[in-house]
Amino acid sequence: MHAVARSVDQDPGAHRCGRNTGDGNVSVNPGMISGTDIDDFAITGFDATIGLDEIMAAFAVMDNESDYLEYQLVCRTANDPRAPNAWQTMETGWTNPSSSNTLRNTGALSAPAGANVSSNFLIQFGVAVRKKSGAGGNPRAELHVAIARSNA
């Protein structure tokens, strides 16, 4: 009896896989965000864009003092990580978590067109935070973020 070796290239699903790209925390303290500023925080290091299909993030917002915080998943690309491109929003809108603790999963997202993943070799993911428009005070919360990617 002979064993038959099957090439990975013959299996169209063999290249598709997912993996964690990184996780991290962001502490938002009162007075850290002024006015209408948006602060971006890197969560992952730079990773290759080759084969990138979709991205998914899970957020746990802990000890949220009020409903003054808004946040969303962002990414930026680069060919040289010492000179990255601007942060790009990955979600259609801002999330405004309620006071206390909340959990949220973004669902599967594609890299935004502005990231130009076909012409940039590296991609990095992060979280953007801002003070909710019209908020009566300053936000304070701890964001825990985990990010994964799938490959085509």
Side-chain angles (χ1 to χ4, degrees), residues 16-102:
R16 187 174 185 86
C17 64
R19 67 177 169 83
N20 292 331
T21 59
D23 56 64
N25 303 324
V26 174
S27 294
V28 178
N29 296 302
M32 187 172 116
I33 306 167
S34 65
T36 58
D37 290 353
I38 296 172
D39 290 351
D40 297 299
F41 298 93
I43 298 296
T44 70
F46 279 97
D47 195 16
T49 57
I50 295 172
L52 177 65
D53 186 27
E54 293 178 319
I55 302 95
M56 185 179 282
F59 293 92
V61 180
M62 309 299 288
D63 194 29
N64 190 12
E65 184 177 51
S66 62
D67 66 349
Y68 302 154
L69 174 70
E70 292 183 325
Y71 70 92
Q72 68 175 284
L73 184 66
V74 293
C75 72
R76 65 181 176 179
T77 53
N79 285 316
D80 179 349
R82 296 168 297 179
N85 297 312
W87 289 102
Q88 303 287 317
T89 59
M90 295 196 60
E91 300 183 82
T92 56
W94 292 87
T95 297
N96 175 232
S98 59
S99 298
S100 188
N101 303 329
T102 58

